[in-house]
Amino acid sequence: MLHRLLATALTSACLLISAPAHAKDLTLLSSWDDNYNAVPVFVGQFVEKLKEKSNGDLNIQVRGPETVPPFEQLQPVAGGLFDMLFTHGAYHLGETGMAFGLDAVKDDPIARRESGIYELIDKHYQSRGLKLIGVFSSASGYHFLLRQPIGEDGALKGRKIRASATYHDMVQELQGAVVTLPPSEIYSSLERGVVDGAAWPVFGAMEYRWYEVSDYMTRPTFGVTNQVMLMNLDTWNGLSKQQQDTIMEVARELEVSGRQVFADLWAKEDAAMQEAGLEITQFGPNVAPKVDAMFAEGVWKQVRNRAGADGEAFHKLAVEKGLTSQ
């Protein structure tokens, strides 16, 4: 009996020694569920790698858009109801347009990190109770899914296009009419002809099966699809230096490795979409060379209008570093 008690005591002591002394459990709010492939690639890998690199010291529980609607998530994280946020800059344009500007910045994670842009964005969000952790590129931009091909106008003249704030200026520049609908209504709206097309990241048609209700996808693509990860500033300040360093190390590595994953996924999905029946329709020769600049101009307009002097500084730095087309 004594031997058994000693063995139990020794086992318990070993477990206490091996367990993290200051393990931290964090909650991450995501603007998308697992059907959006950026979630398993970036959030899933971030959670897994962070746990591994911290030896179980840092653990994350993920909550999706069923917990808080995507366009309403910034304030709950800034207020401390959740520790982290994985989202897109356009989803909180009501609060600020700062992170939205990343979609008009060259898709080079290392150059972006070295440019000083992240420091500007981080400082801006810190004034709102948040810390910038990482910017994750899907290695592709945006396009339009259409019921009919591009016509003689070479653009979208007279067409009703479902578009979030990300694309408003561009749709109008292409002479289309903006229709605001939640993503959940895109399928039925295309099917019933309520809209003639929908703007969306290049990735998405396969997961949401929009190829069943649209026949064309536009080329060339434009812009860069980025997701940002933010952390509540009080949560960040409450972590040890080692914990902070581990989080940033994982983010920097995933910015590079995750982008490569998406580069490979894009090639496969593009082929799959065409196999599913989506045909490529090209913008006209007078329009095609301008679509990226059109998109960037609309993005920077939103950034300047919604982020004030910080937005102006962001745009100026991106131009100086040669990281934007406008």
Side-chain angles (χ1 to χ4, degrees), residues 5-283:
L5 287 172
L6 285 171
T8 302
L10 284 170
T11 301
S12 299
C14 289
L15 288 172
L16 286 171
I17 291 170
S18 61
H22 303 288
K24 183 75 173 178
D25 293 322
L26 304 169
T27 54
L28 184 148
L29 188 60
S30 172
S31 293
W32 308 275
D33 60 25
D34 286 345
N35 286 326
Y36 185 51
N37 45 25
V39 175
V41 173
F42 293 122
V43 175
Q45 285 296 300
F46 188 89
V47 171
E48 184 178 317
K49 290 179 181 297
L50 187 63
K51 184 175 183 179
E52 178 185 338
K53 283 185 176 289
S54 70
N55 295 316
D57 189 28
L58 292 166
N59 302 288
I60 298 176
Q61 293 184 340
V62 180
R63 300 286 183 267
E66 74 282 353
T67 307
V68 180
F71 291 2
E72 301 171 16
Q73 293 178 338
L74 194 73
Q75 287 306 318
V77 178
L81 294 178
F82 302 89
D83 298 302
M84 303 180 72
L85 175 62
F86 183 70
T87 190
H88 187 279
Y91 284 19
H92 52 264
L93 282 174
E95 285 86 5
T96 175
M98 197 68 170
F100 183 36
L102 289 159
D103 281 13
V105 172
K106 184 179 178 181
D107 187 16
D108 184 334
I110 295 175
R112 293 191 304 196
R113 279 263 178 201
E114 294 175 348
S115 69
I117 282 172
Y118 283 21
E119 286 77 9
L120 271 181
I121 297 173
D122 182 40
K123 183 178 179 181
H124 179 85
Y125 279 94
Q126 285 202 33
S127 70
R128 288 158 173 75
L130 295 157
K131 168 76 179 173
L132 178 67
I133 301 301
V135 180
F136 305 103
S137 164
S138 297
S140 65
Y142 302 94
H143 66 171
F144 296 96
L145 295 167
L146 300 175
R147 287 162 53 91
Q148 298 294 330
I150 297 290
E152 292 182 3
D153 63 294
L156 300 173
K157 187 175 182 178
R159 303 195 198 202
K160 302 185 297 293
I161 304 295
R162 180 273 170 192
S164 67
T166 305
Y167 321 92
H168 279 193
D169 291 280
M170 184 176 188
V171 170
Q172 292 166 359
E173 186 72 18
L174 292 168
Q175 302 179 63
V178 172
V179 178
T180 303
L181 294 168
S184 60
E185 295 181 22
I186 291 177
Y187 188 102
S188 61
S189 296
L190 283 167
E191 184 178 36
R192 293 183 286 114
V194 173
V195 295
D196 302 305
W200 195 258
V202 169
F203 289 106
M206 295 306 294
E207 288 88 346
Y208 296 106
R209 305 183 71 83
W210 293 329
Y211 56 83
E212 296 178 344
V213 289
S214 58
D215 295 316
Y216 300 90
M217 54 185 179
T218 61
R219 293 295 183 271
T221 60
F222 48 89
V224 181
T225 306
N226 290 287
Q227 294 83 31
V228 294
M229 188 176 288
L230 302 163
M231 180 178 280
N232 174 275
L233 189 57
D234 287 338
T235 299
W236 173 260
N237 290 332
L239 298 175
S240 69
K241 179 65 165 54
Q242 182 177 352
Q243 289 171 327
Q244 291 177 348
D245 289 346
T246 302
I247 287 172
M248 297 309 291
E249 179 186 351
V250 172
R252 284 193 298 270
E253 290 179 359
L254 194 56
E255 284 175 351
V256 176
S257 63
R259 185 195 176 284
Q260 183 55 54
V261 169
F262 263 96
D264 297 337
L265 285 175
W266 185 10
K268 293 176 182 176
E269 178 145 334
D270 188 61
M273 288 191 293
Q274 293 184 61
E275 187 177 336
L278 278 171
E279 295 182 37
I280 290 175
T281 181
Q282 297 280 351
F283 286 108

